[in-house]
Amino acid sequence: MNTNYDILIVGGGAAGFFTSINIAENNPQLKVAILERGKTVLEKVRISGGGRCNVTHACFVPNDLAKFYPRGEKELRGPFHQFCSGDTIEWFERHGVALKIEDDGRMFPISDSSQTIIDCFLTAAKKLKIEVLTGQSVQSLFKGEGYWKVETNHETFSCQKLIMTTGSNPKIWEMLQEIGHTIVPPVPSLFTFNIKDTRIKDLMGVSAWAQVKVKGTKLEAVGPLLITHWGMSGPGILRLSAWGARELFDKNYQFTIEVNWLNEVSFEEAVATLKELKQVHAKKAVSKKSPFDFPNRLWESLVLAASIDIETKWADVSKKQLTDLANQLTNGQFQVNGKSTFKEEFVTAGGIDLKEINFKTMESKLHTDLFFAGEIVNIDAITGGFNFQNAWTSGFIVANAIFK
């Protein structure tokens, strides 16, 4: 049986729904369907942002927004001039969903529930008569004369225009490779570092603003660092993992990081501050209270790491101990052995080579009437709503370009 559609969208996730809704709103006369291999749609939206759905980020300047993408920065500048975070806010408000900005710039639905976004998409799709077909696993793609044929585990579909929004799906990448596309091999992005070290052993939950560098590379990031029972996490670490996705993969996730707990304070400045503290607090115990802007438990741990006993007073600290402490504060070396990924927040660096896509239309440069949106292409971002913004922008561009 061969079912005909004007437009077929493969992948029932964020990019798939956003693209199809925008197409159907622009062209109500078209017959549009979404093919989804799973039993349910929008699963990643459901669990994203801890179930709250981090829709976008409050960065409203296209060129600034593009800087949050380790892969895709250059390519996204043009698209972001067409559809940016401000347009996303407006789009969702027009569809009955108000968003709010949190202190760190992340934006969520006011309801604090990803279900609001899911309901918005499902309602719009139903209203626009978009057919949502689940349990349809694509087996092959074929380009005919002026049409595409898509074979699934259940039936064969044909369409005039084909849009792929399947995210990091190796099977689909393989099919696209068979029709000539280049796939940049996928590697994990956004992961935390596994570190076993006595200095952080009992500090689970402690967070500090720090500068982190990967020794022997140019990789560095600044931001909140969270100590966990398996090592280190938090926005600073995730940022580093995104920018270093390829390099850290090549190192097999075995490397050393240098942590400056005083952010951008230098070793020399730290020594000067510690000498001053030695004068001012001569009779007080060094380990008692953190003189810096991070938790006392972390301070105590670093004091012990510099071989200063828990009872030692500032007056009794030797020059060597002061130097060691300044080193622990500004250049703590930690060995990383492996990584941990959050299954639900999993992001991959890799996908269709960006050189093979026309970013004015998101159409394949190799095949006419084949379009891409979302993470199927080699674009990924740091955490904070940016990966969704790429889905909205690319989907909007496809919808606008599809019948021009």
Side-chain angles (χ1 to χ4, degrees):
M1 188 175 126
N2 197 338
T3 316
N4 289 313
Y5 288 93
D6 295 306
I7 312 273
L8 266 185
I9 289 119
V10 180
F17 268 83
F18 196 80
T19 309
S20 59
I21 291 164
N22 280 285
I23 287 171
E25 283 178 345
N26 292 349
N27 312 275
Q29 77 287 359
L30 296 179
K31 199 177 172 197
V32 181
I34 294 172
L35 301 181
E36 165 56 46
R37 66 176 171 162
K39 289 192 183 82
T40 53
V41 291
L42 300 163
E43 270 313 300
K44 210 168 170 185
V45 172
R46 188 183 308 284
I47 53 183
S48 75
R52 295 197 299 143
C53 188
N54 185 182
V55 176
T56 186
H57 202 93
C59 174
F60 303 112
V61 180
N63 289 0
D64 292 348
L65 184 62
K67 291 191 175 95
F68 291 97
Y69 296 80
R71 283 145 294 272
E73 178 186 345
K74 188 169 97 282
E75 290 79 5
L76 285 173
R77 281 184 213 141
F80 283 157
H81 277 90
Q82 284 193 55
F83 194 89
C84 202
S85 329
D87 302 301
T88 299
I89 298 165
E90 199 188 321
W91 191 95
F92 277 101
E93 284 196 343
R94 210 168 62 242
H95 291 79
V97 179
L99 303 179
K100 59 171 180 176
I101 304 176
E102 303 216 331
D103 292 346
D104 57 5
R106 291 182 304 161
M107 297 196 70
F108 294 89
I110 280 175
S111 64
D112 270 332
S113 167
S114 55
Q115 194 59 45
T116 309
I117 304 297
I118 293 168
D119 292 344
C120 165
F121 286 163
L122 293 177
T123 305
K126 195 175 174 185
K127 188 179 143 199
L128 295 159
K129 297 186 170 53
I130 295 162
E131 288 184 50
V132 180
L133 308 169
T134 53
Q136 299 280 355
S137 173
V138 173
Q139 306 299 309
S140 70
L141 303 171
F142 172 77
K143 175 87 160 85
E145 203 54 57
Y147 71 95
W148 279 92
K149 194 165 84 175
V150 179
E151 208 175 303
T152 74
N153 51 338
H154 290 305
E155 56 191 294
T156 302
F157 298 88
S158 62
C159 61
Q160 208 181 330
K161 314 264 181 185
L162 179 62
I163 303 157
M164 307 300 288
T165 61
T166 45
S168 311
N169 182 331
K171 202 175 145 191
I172 297 288
W173 279 336
E174 218 170 277
M175 283 176 222
L176 291 167
Q177 231 167 346
E178 282 166 17
I179 60 168
H181 270 289
T182 310
I183 304 300
V184 177
V187 299
S189 177
L190 294 189
F191 48 84
T192 63
F193 297 170
N194 295 350
I195 298 167
K196 278 192 167 47
D197 193 292
T198 49
R199 286 167 291 178
I200 60 169
K201 189 170 174 276
D202 299 313
L203 297 183
M204 272 110 71
V206 166
S207 178
W209 193 276
Q211 181 185 53
V212 189
K213 295 180 179 179
V214 176
K215 199 174 178 180
T217 73
K218 288 178 177 165
L219 294 170
E220 65 173 276
V222 172
L225 185 156
L226 174 69
I227 296 169
T228 66
H229 62 86
W230 64 83
M232 290 183 189
S233 181
I237 295 291
L238 291 172
R239 204 164 286 160
L240 200 59
S241 76
W243 287 101
R246 293 248 158 242
E247 217 168 324
L248 301 180
F249 171 80
D250 292 342
K251 290 179 181 293
N252 200 20
Y253 308 108
Q254 308 288 320
F255 52 93
T256 302
I257 55 169
E258 301 167 342
V259 180
N260 184 343
W261 299 103
L262 306 181
N263 194 359
E264 282 160 1
V265 172
S266 70
F267 168 76
E268 290 74 21
E269 288 167 326
V271 169
T273 305
L274 293 174
K275 281 180 178 166
E276 210 175 292
L277 289 166
K278 185 175 158 77
Q279 299 297 319
V280 180
H281 299 300
K283 293 183 176 161
K284 289 183 180 167
V286 179
S287 67
K288 209 75 194 144
K289 190 176 181 310
S290 169
F292 299 103
D293 189 17
F294 60 71
N296 292 331
R297 286 166 63 204
L298 176 59
W299 167 251
E300 190 182 301
S301 176
L302 297 177
V303 167
L304 291 172
S307 308
I308 301 169
D309 290 338
I310 211 103
E311 301 301 328
T312 306
K313 294 191 170 27
W314 278 102
D316 304 324
V317 176
S318 69
K319 192 180 172 188
K320 183 185 183 308
Q321 285 172 322
L322 267 193
T323 305
D324 285 354
L325 183 52
N327 235 328
Q328 289 292 346
L329 287 164
T330 60
N331 189 22
Q333 313 252 326
F334 293 86
Q335 180 58 39
V336 176
N337 290 306
K339 62 166 181 23
S340 295
T341 10
F342 308 112
K343 281 285 177 280
E344 67 272 14
E345 297 287 0
F346 191 68
V347 172
T348 305
I352 298 159
D353 195 315
L354 303 182
K355 292 195 285 293
E356 298 174 355
I357 297 161
N358 173 356
F359 278 86
K360 286 189 172 69
T361 58
M362 296 307 293
E363 188 173 15
S364 160
K365 287 181 180 175
L366 278 60
H367 298 283
T368 51
D369 300 332
L370 174 63
F371 296 81
F372 305 110
E375 280 179 42
I376 187 170
V377 304
N378 184 27
I379 285 179
D380 62 284
I382 65 169
T383 180
F386 302 105
N387 283 303
F388 273 137
Q389 184 57 50
N390 169 45
W392 316 140
T393 296
S394 50
F396 176 85
I397 286 172
V398 171
N400 270 14
I402 203 138
F403 279 106
K404 274 190 178 166

